[in-house]
Structure formats: structure tokens, C-alpha cells
Amino acid sequence: MKIVAVDVVVTSPTRNFVTLKVTTDEGVTGLGDATLNGRELSVAAYLKEHVVPLLLNRDPANIEDTWQFLYRSGYWRRGPVTMAAIAAVDMALWDIKGKVAGMPVYQLLGGASRRGLSTYGHASGRDLPELFDSIRHEKEHGFSAIRVQTSVPGITALYGVAAQTQASGERYDYEPAQRTALPVEEDWDTRAYLRHLPGVFEAVRHEFGPDLALLHDGHHRMTPLQAARLGKDLEPYDLFWLEDCTPAENQEALRLVRQHTTTPLAIGEVFNSIYDIKDLITEQLIDYVRCASTHFGGISPLKKVMDFAAVYQVKSGFHGPTDVSPVGLAAQMHVGMAIHNFGLQEYMEHSERTNAVFEQSLTFVDGLLHPGDQPGLGVELNEEEAAKYAYQPAYLPYNRLADGTVHDW
Ligand code: KDG
Ligand code: MG
């Protein structure tokens, strides 16, 4: 078989998505996700200008060889743009292989290790009553693990709090990238956050009892010492994990955090390669790998890093926000189905319009997500629907402290 066409499709049903479509001479097609939130067109150009010409006439069956060829022949390795582009190719080739074999991709990765994937939902609120309502809503929806984000007195706009009015005046609704010409400025105060958060978790634990798995995303905002203190302060409330407590580029920061707290740690949504996370795994400084198929180079490296992590009893907690497209979500669901050391899958659910563009075989029943048993990834692109929604510039926000200093967002 040969690759005869490769198309890069940019569509924006409710947010921007970049999708790669690979077509073979036998008419089999495969899809890959190359969406990089706020920088979408850079990956689209990387693919169109530098990758598509290299794929034509290649045998789509040779997934590992194609991955290594794209990774090594580019010389400039890693980085989110390069790795999202390689990820899209890798996913599309797994999709094709599954369709040719007549099997869902998880079968090709070793078969199902479980009935479905346990997931966590997102709850948030501006105050405790609103937060409790949001948690109840997620529980009724089937989630037995819930991420809790809350407003903090004195901070106007805070990541992950759906109902609050943002600096832009628009509602956040779990979609931090806003369709504005310039990134929106938000505010931040670490001391106020550290003072407020433990009380919120105490109230949530008291209200919902010991069973409910609770998670929190620190979104890279703390120093190692601040993160260590937060982890310690949250210990009585038995978190399932504390995510991204420090900026992710410094792996050593987690050593200090780990020495001070037994709150489980999760990190990796901004990582692009195994080299970003290998010390965290071998030194057992984390408990969950948050990498996403889309930003980590695809299915092949995600499966490899999880097999490596299994040696150290580190589990998966793949990143599943709405900016990972249904194709990217499917890719990591297949990995999650196959590996033994699956932990928990983030599931934010895409909009109805997005689901009309990406037709999916996924099911979500009683909190268990399943990619379905269609051959390949189980996602098809409705190109007519996709063509209705042109790309719209959108940026993630950024933070400034009270004195005007830029802070991690
Ligand atoms: O593009 C940025 C989002 O994917 C990120 O802010 C979401 O942190 C996130 C999460 O844990 O879902
Ligand atoms: Mg996160």
C-alpha cells in the first residue's frame, strides 16, 4: 500500500482543530490530531510545508519507521509544534493499520486490559454552594472522580472556574482559549490561593464524604516550596492527585515537593517527549503521567512511555481537555484500554458542533469511557461539516501579578 494524498484540515466548530487526513492508494483513510491550542496554524504549516511531501508514496504500514524518520531526519527534535505534527502522522497510520486489520487500535496494542476507562469530570464554582452544585452535577453525570477548581477572593479571573466573568467579560466555560485578537490578561496571587484552597477541600470532603476521588490542577503556578506546602496542607483531604503544581520545565522541582508531601502528583500535559519525564519516572517523583497523545508524538511514544512507567508503578492520567480533538482523545483511549498501568482519563466532552464534525464510536456509560470497536481509531471526519467553520484566531490568557509582573498561567 502507498500513501497517495495527505490533507491538513483546519476547522473551528467551537474552537480550532487541526486534523491530518492520510489517504492510501487502496482508498483507506486515517486521521490524526495536530491541534496546538493558540498556535494551531504553526503546526498546520509545519505539516503542509515540511511533512506532507515526505509522506507521499511511503508505505503506511511502517509506523515506527515513519515516526523515527520524521523525528530524526528533521534534526531539530522535540518541541510542541514538531511533536504535534509527528503525532498526527502516527495516529493516522495506526488508524489505517486498524482499518486494514479490521480491528480497533487497542487490539493492535495488545488487546483490552479493562472494560472501559475510568474518567474524571470537571467541577468549579465561585463559592461553595455553586461548587457543590457543580460537583453534584458531575456525580449525577456518572463521574466518580472530580477535579475541583474554585475562585479565590481577590483574584478576578481564575483558570478552570467556569461561571466566573473573565477579564474579557466573557464566560470561560472550560474553554480558556478566547477568540480575541490579543491574549487576555488575568490576575494571580499565590499567597491568596494557598490560604484559600485547603478550606475549600475541607468543605468539599465534609459535604461529599470519603469515597469521592478529588483532584486539583495547580496549573504550573507555584514554586517548589509553595507546592510542597500545598501538598502537605491538602493531605487530610486525601486527593487522588495534585496536578502541575510547579512549572513543568524543571523536573528537579518535584524532588523538593515529593520530600514534603504524600499527596499524589501528576504532571506532563505540556511534555513532548520521554526526555521531559524520564527522571520524574525513574526517581518516582510522580504518580501519574499527564501526557496527551497529540502533544507527545502520538500513540507509539505514549505506549512506550507507559510501558517504561509501569516498571516504576507510575500510572497514566492522560490529558483530555477540549483542545485535544476527538481524534487525539480516541488515540489515547486506545492506549489506555491496552496498557496495564492505566490510572484515570480526563474527559471534558466536546461540544455538539465538534461531535458533528468528528463522528465518533466512543461511548460513556456509568463513568466508563470506551473508544468503541470500529476498526481503527473509531473517528471519521465529516468534511462538509468541517468546511462550515473557518479558523478563528484564539489565544490562551496570561497572568500578571498585582505589580504588573508576568506570572505562569
Ligand atoms: O490548552 C491548555 C489546556 O489544555 C489546559 O489549560 C487544560 O490544564 C488543563 C487540563 O488539565 O485539562
Ligand atoms: Mg492541567
Side-chain angles (χ1 to χ4, degrees):
M1 224 197 276
K2 267 187 189 168
I3 295 172
V4 292
V6 186
D7 300 292
V8 180
V9 180
V10 181
T11 179
S12 194
T14 33
R15 62 160 355 280
N16 296 314
F17 293 112
V18 179
T19 308
L20 191 74
K21 181 181 168 192
V22 175
T23 307
T24 72
D25 54 350
E26 293 179 16
V28 184
T29 58
L31 296 180
D33 177 26
T35 307
L36 185 61
N37 204 0
R39 296 290 186 272
E40 294 87 357
L41 297 186
S42 57
V43 193
Y46 187 108
L47 282 165
K48 277 188 212 158
E49 305 296 333
H50 305 294
V51 174
V52 171
L54 310 183
L55 294 178
L56 295 172
N57 295 316
R58 288 183 75 86
D59 183 344
N62 299 337
I63 302 175
E64 182 65 21
D65 180 64
T66 301
W67 195 98
Q68 298 295 343
F69 167 64
L70 292 177
Y71 183 75
R72 290 168 200 282
S73 70
Y75 187 65
W76 309 105
R77 296 178 190 180
R78 310 197 275 161
V81 175
T82 298
M83 298 312 285
I86 296 178
V89 177
D90 183 80
M91 288 178 205
L93 298 191
W94 278 105
D95 196 16
I96 290 171
K97 195 177 274 301
K99 287 177 179 173
V100 170
M103 289 182 196
V105 168
Y106 73 80
Q107 289 291 359
L108 306 178
L109 299 175
S113 287
R114 55 195 49 79
R115 284 185 293 115
L117 308 172
S118 301
T119 48
Y120 73 91
H122 286 207
S124 68
R126 287 167 296 184
D127 51 28
L128 284 179
E130 193 174 85
L131 178 60
F132 289 179
D133 282 351
S134 176
I135 294 173
R136 275 187 208 104
H137 177 268
E138 295 302 294
K139 279 184 69 177
E140 280 158 21
H141 199 47
F143 291 110
S144 52
I146 297 176
R147 188 184 89 158
V148 170
Q149 304 296 127
T150 170
S151 288
V152 172
I155 303 180
T156 322
L158 218 160
Y159 165 77
V161 182
Q164 74 195 341
T165 303
Q166 298 301 299
S168 68
E170 288 182 11
R171 276 174 62 103
Y172 225 58
D173 278 333
Y174 299 139
E175 184 50 85
Q178 297 179 47
R179 288 170 161 173
T180 46
L182 294 170
V184 171
E185 186 179 306
E186 296 185 346
D187 53 345
W188 178 249
D189 177 345
T190 311
R191 278 168 53 78
Y193 166 77
L194 291 177
R195 273 197 309 273
H196 186 67
L197 199 68
V200 171
F201 272 91
E202 181 183 18
V204 170
R205 216 10 120 209
H206 186 256
E207 178 74 13
F208 292 94
D211 276 358
L212 186 64
L214 298 174
L215 297 77
H216 179 72
D217 189 347
H219 226 253
H220 313 288
R221 293 174 183 203
M222 285 165 273
T223 64
L225 199 65
Q226 290 164 340
R229 176 181 147 196
L230 181 65
K232 233 170 139 170
D233 287 352
L234 293 177
E235 275 172 27
Y237 317 116
D238 186 26
L239 260 63
F240 188 91
W241 78 41
L242 172 61
E243 175 189 346
D244 289 345
C245 58
T246 52
E249 44 289 50
N250 182 12
Q251 296 187 38
E252 281 159 32
L254 274 297
R255 264 189 216 131
L256 193 140
V257 182
R258 195 63 150 182
Q259 277 162 18
H260 290 280
T261 180
T262 55
T263 292
L265 302 175
I267 200 161
E269 65 181 44
V270 298
F271 290 165
N272 324 122
S273 101
I274 193 158
Y275 298 103
D276 297 329
I277 200 165
K278 78 172 174 40
D279 298 345
L280 298 180
I281 293 172
T282 55
E283 293 185 37
Q284 302 185 137
L285 300 180
I286 56 165
D287 303 279
Y288 296 95
V289 171
R290 288 280 292 146
C291 304
S293 54
T294 308
H295 307 119
F296 199 72
I299 291 171
S300 305
L302 200 61
K303 172 75 165 64
K304 285 180 200 174
V305 78
M306 289 319 304
D307 290 343
F308 178 64
V311 177
Y312 300 91
Q313 290 177 289
V314 175
K315 294 186 173 188
S316 70
F318 300 146
H319 189 214
T322 43
D323 50 283
V324 168
S325 91
V327 180
L329 179 65
Q332 59 198 36
M333 281 196 290
H334 286 279
V335 176
M337 285 296 293
I339 56 177
H340 177 249
N341 52 333
F342 170 80
L344 193 63
Q345 172 66 51
E346 181 179 17
Y347 184 43
M348 279 186 74
E349 300 180 77
H350 288 103
S351 70
E352 273 177 36
R353 270 201 221 160
T354 298
N355 291 338
V357 170
F358 298 93
E359 294 160 2
Q360 300 153 64
S361 60
L362 147 170
T363 55
F364 179 60
V365 182
D366 297 331
L368 276 196
L369 198 58
H370 194 287
D373 279 311
Q374 264 180 30
L377 291 175
V379 184
E380 290 304 324
L381 184 68
N382 183 329
E383 291 182 54
E384 227 170 85
E385 278 296 312
K388 288 184 190 167
Y389 309 110
Y391 167 79
Q392 293 200 27
Y395 284 101
L396 288 167
Y398 75 105
N399 274 333
R400 281 192 194 275
L401 306 178
D403 70 356
T405 308
V406 172
H407 189 76
D408 304 293
W409 179 79

